[in-house]
């Protein structure tokens, strides 16, 4: 692709076969225009979510007594981040329901059963962005959130925390978001008397540049 | 106490629904009409308990286990046909029951076709389970008509209760609750039959057999019901064939219930053994 781009001006000149300077300018302008989308594509950087340094934590009210926290240990996905044109950025993330971890095997088994996540029928929770907007220092990321087989559009306020080099010199970027859902909106209606309907989800991810 | 609060409303709703429906049979004189009332009673009774447990799901349901509700309602139609054509059209009755079983298993296990199974593997599972379902249906039918008694379904009450406990150990209180609703419905049919003086008819077979197989299927594929526990529960209804037929109907029903209890207890013990330590409820 790069070699083709390098040859293009020559090809243009050969094909036009003119020496007039105004014509030359037109050709060069056309060439510059044709390269615009290419330059914006190059500006988008793709990061792979690093599951080891990323967290998907949830919080739910238990018996109306206290808030309880759990987490998912396996998250995968990519973040395509365009610094120049943030609206061209995108996020795809998948969480393995089987990796739910509440520090108790029996409770993990219960959460994976048809009472809640039904992990065998719905093995992943996913998010796929449809729109990204810059909002001050943060980003508003709108996307399709699929949980328990139900897909709804949600908007997250995503804050970039920072970027830098990792232990092996790899480029890393990270940030996070928090949002609240009603589990009943996703067909998870069991034990409403024991567990709250609202679930707070706390995301923190670190991405490694591909 | 919390578990009792969780289970009681669904069971009570199911019992009330069945008692009401069976109560209607007091005002019905024709046998076929009484049988239809029984079919409506078990289907609607289970549906009421299911809805009380989970709220009314969307149609078609997202969660495969919620098909049990709609299949219970659908089984009323098949039960009604069984009541109307109870002495005739044996082939058609069996064929309709087979269709109900195929639909039940196909709908409950559709996600497995999407995610895991090849069409050949899935078809083999469905065919095998349909045979098990036919065996369960045949067993219930045999128990009802070999020596009719108000207590003919006692063995099924024992198996439903055993399934409920085994499913609770397998990680799903919802399925355990639905099995408890099933037991509540069976209990109500026995109790209402005793009160109203009616012997349960074979119109109950489609609903009771389909739901029993459906609950075990959901337990094995969507919860963590161990295969050996599920297998014991699935084959247990066939024990009705090995009970000596020379005793009185009530005695026979009690022996069948006792044999079923052995299967149920073993299934519960196996599910208990496979369960992680229960230290969080």
């Amino acid at each position: 692709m790069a070699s083709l781009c390098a040859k293009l001006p020559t090809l243009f000149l050969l094909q036009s076969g003119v020496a007039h300077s105004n014509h030359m300018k037109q050709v060069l302008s056309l060439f510059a225009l044709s390269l615009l989308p290419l330059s914006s594509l190059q500006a988008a950087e793709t990061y792979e979510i690093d599951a080891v340094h990323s967290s998907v934590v949830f919080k739910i009210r238990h018996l109306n007594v206290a808030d309880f926290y759990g987490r998912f240990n396996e998250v995968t996905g990519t973040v395509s981040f365009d610094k120049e044109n943030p609206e061209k950025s995108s996020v795809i993330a998948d969480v393995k329901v089987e990796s739910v971890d509440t520090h108790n095997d029996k409770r993990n088994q219960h959460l994976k059963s048809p009472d809640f996540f039904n992990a065998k029928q719905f093995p992943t929770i996913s998010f796929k962005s449809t729109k990204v907007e810059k909002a001050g220092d943060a980003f508003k990321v709108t996307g399709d959130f699929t949980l328990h087989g139900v897909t709804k559009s949600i908007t997250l306020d995503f804050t970039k925390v920072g970027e830098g080099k990792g232990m092996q010199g790899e480029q890393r970027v990270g940030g996070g978001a928090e949002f609240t859902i009603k589990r009943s909106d996703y067909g998870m209606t069991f034990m409403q008397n024991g567990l709250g309907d609202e679930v707070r989800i706390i995301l923190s991810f670190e991405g490694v540049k591909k | 106490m919390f578990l009792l609060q969780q289970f009681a409303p669904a069971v009570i709703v199911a019992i009330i629904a069945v008692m009401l429906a069976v109560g209607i049979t007091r005002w019905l004189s024709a046998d076929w009409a009484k049988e239809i009332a029984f079919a409506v009673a078990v289907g609607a009774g289970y549906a009421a308990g299911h809805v009380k447990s989970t709220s009314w799901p969307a149609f078609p349901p997202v969660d495969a286990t919620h098909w049990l509700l709609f299949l219970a309602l659908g089984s009323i139609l098949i039960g009604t046909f069984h009541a109307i054509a109870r002495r005739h059209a044996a082939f058609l009755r069996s064929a309709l029951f087979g269709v109900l079983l195929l639909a039940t298993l196909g709908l409950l296990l559709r996600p497995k076709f999407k995610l895991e199974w090849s069409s050949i593997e899935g078809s083999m599972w469905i065919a095998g389970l349909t045979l098990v379902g036919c065996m369960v249906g045949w067993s219930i039918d045999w128990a009802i008509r070999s020596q009719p008694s108000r207590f003919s379904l006692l063995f099924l009450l024992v198996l439903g209760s055993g399934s409920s406990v085994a499913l609770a150990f397998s990680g799903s209180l919802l399925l355990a609750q639905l099995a408890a609703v099933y037991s509540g419905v069976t209990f109500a049919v026995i109790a209402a039959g005793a009160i109203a003086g009616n012997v349960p008819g074979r119109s109950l077979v489609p609903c009771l057999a389909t739901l029993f197989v459906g609950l075990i299927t959901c337990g094995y594929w969507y919860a963590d019901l161990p295969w050996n526990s599920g297998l014991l529960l699935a084959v247990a209804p066939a024990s009705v064939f090995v009970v000596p037929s020379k005793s009185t109907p009530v005695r026979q029903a009690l022996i069948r219930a006792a044999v079923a209890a052995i299967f149920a207890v073993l299934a519960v013990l196996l599910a208990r053994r496979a369960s992680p330590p229960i230290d969080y409820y």
Side-chain angles (χ1 to χ4, degrees):
Chain A
M1 184 70 189
S3 61
L4 181 67
C5 290
K7 285 173 187 169
L8 270 172
T10 324
L11 283 171
F12 268 109
L13 286 173
L14 283 174
Q15 279 181 354
S16 59
V18 290
H20 301 297
S21 61
N22 57 345
H23 203 157
M24 181 80 167
K25 276 178 192 166
Q26 279 177 356
V27 171
L28 284 174
S29 310
L30 199 67
F31 177 57
L33 275 172
S34 72
L35 283 183
L36 262 179
L38 196 64
S39 64
S40 62
L41 264 180
Q42 283 168 339
E45 294 171 333
T46 304
Y47 294 85
E48 199 163 298
I49 292 174
D50 174 8
V52 178
H53 295 99
S54 299
S55 305
V56 180
V57 179
F58 60 89
K59 178 178 89 169
I60 190 163
R61 183 71 40 98
H62 179 238
L63 295 173
N64 244 343
V65 171
D67 288 332
F68 173 78
Y69 289 80
R71 57 173 290 153
F72 293 94
N73 293 328
E74 288 181 43
V75 54
T76 55
T78 53
V79 178
S80 176
F81 181 56
D82 191 329
K83 284 178 188 170
E84 305 300 320
N85 303 292
E87 67 279 1
K88 288 181 180 165
S89 302
S90 64
V91 182
I92 296 173
D94 285 320
V95 173
K96 271 197 182 169
V97 177
E98 276 290 335
S99 71
V100 69
D101 182 0
T102 62
H103 202 59
N104 182 291
D105 287 343
K106 189 67 187 172
R107 181 167 48 210
N108 295 345
Q109 183 197 44
H110 191 199
L111 285 172
K112 286 184 264 185
S113 79
D115 301 20
F116 297 101
F117 291 105
N118 199 354
K120 286 176 184 160
Q121 187 181 349
F122 309 111
T124 53
I125 299 168
S126 65
F127 179 80
K128 189 175 183 185
S129 69
T130 52
K131 187 179 166 189
V132 179
E133 291 172 292
K134 185 108 172 83
D137 290 337
F139 300 89
K140 282 205 176 296
V141 182
T142 303
D144 294 329
F145 179 66
T146 304
L147 167 65
H148 195 244
V150 178
T151 302
K152 287 186 181 291
S153 181
I154 60 167
T155 300
L156 319 176
D157 289 318
F158 180 84
T159 308
K160 183 182 165 189
V161 174
E163 57 186 301
K165 295 279 183 194
M167 301 281 274
Q168 291 166 10
E170 75 283 12
Q171 181 65 25
R172 286 175 174 265
V173 66
E178 289 189 27
F179 61 103
T180 302
I181 57 160
K182 281 190 174 180
R183 65 186 176 102
S184 59
D185 288 345
Y186 295 86
M188 294 167 75
T189 53
F190 193 60
M191 288 181 87
Q192 292 275 10
N193 53 346
L195 289 169
D197 191 20
E198 287 196 345
V199 184
R200 185 81 175 152
I201 298 171
I202 303 149
L203 307 172
S204 180
F205 95 91
E206 209 170 293
V208 180
K209 191 174 176 183
K210 285 210 278 188
Chain B
M1 193 62 196
F2 175 76
L3 285 180
L4 257 181
Q5 284 174 347
Q6 187 69 31
F7 276 56
V11 178
I12 290 167
V13 163
I15 290 173
I16 290 171
V18 174
M19 295 291 262
L20 280 175
V22 176
I24 297 167
T25 57
R26 276 177 173 271
W27 288 280
L28 298 171
S29 53
D31 282 350
W32 61 268
K34 285 182 181 179
E35 285 218 19
I36 290 174
F38 266 107
V40 172
V42 288
Y46 174 82
H50 191 118
V51 171
K52 181 67 186 162
S53 302
T54 65
S55 76
W56 190 271
F59 186 86
V62 177
D63 209 311
T65 51
H66 290 318
W67 275 114
L68 290 171
L69 164 65
F70 299 106
L71 291 160
L73 293 173
S75 72
I76 294 174
L77 293 176
I78 314 274
T80 301
F81 183 79
H82 271 62
I84 293 168
R86 59 207 170 107
R87 287 195 182 82
H88 313 283
F91 174 75
L92 196 55
R93 273 191 285 117
S94 305
L96 278 175
F97 176 53
V99 168
L100 179 68
L101 274 174
L102 275 174
T104 301
L105 295 164
L107 291 167
L108 289 178
L109 297 174
R110 198 165 59 161
K112 304 301 287 184
F113 280 94
K114 274 187 188 171
L115 298 167
E116 220 172 288
W117 289 341
S118 65
S119 49
I120 294 171
E121 189 184 3
S123 304
M124 285 171 72
W125 271 116
I126 298 282
L129 288 166
T130 303
L131 285 177
V132 171
C134 287
M135 189 272 294
V136 171
W138 188 27
S139 306
I140 299 171
D141 188 68
W142 174 259
I144 286 173
R145 69 185 168 85
S146 61
Q147 284 215 25
S149 144
R150 291 165 201 171
F151 301 102
S152 302
L153 293 177
L154 201 58
F155 80 101
L156 208 54
L157 171 62
V158 170
L159 288 177
S161 307
S163 304
S164 179
V165 181
L167 288 165
F169 281 128
S170 307
S172 176
L173 280 183
L174 171 63
L175 290 176
Q177 191 169 324
L178 296 180
V181 169
Y182 179 87
S183 301
V185 167
T186 315
F187 170 76
V189 168
I190 296 166
I195 295 162
N198 291 317
V199 173
R202 59 202 315 186
S203 64
L204 300 175
V205 174
C207 185
L208 291 178
T210 306
L211 286 176
F212 186 74
V213 174
L215 284 164
I216 305 296
T217 300
C218 288
Y220 177 67
W221 268 285
Y222 299 121
D224 287 339
L225 183 68
W227 69 269
N228 42 16
S229 179
L231 187 65
L232 271 175
L233 289 169
V235 301
S239 65
V240 297
F241 296 111
V242 296
V243 174
S245 58
K246 286 187 178 173
S247 49
T248 63
V250 173
R251 194 178 169 148
Q252 223 175 51
L254 291 173
I255 295 170
R256 282 172 178 160
V259 174
I262 296 169
F263 280 88
V265 167
L266 283 173
V268 168
L269 288 174
L270 288 168
R272 174 71 186 86
R273 202 176 66 169
S275 165
I278 303 161
D279 50 4
Y280 99 97
Y281 285 118

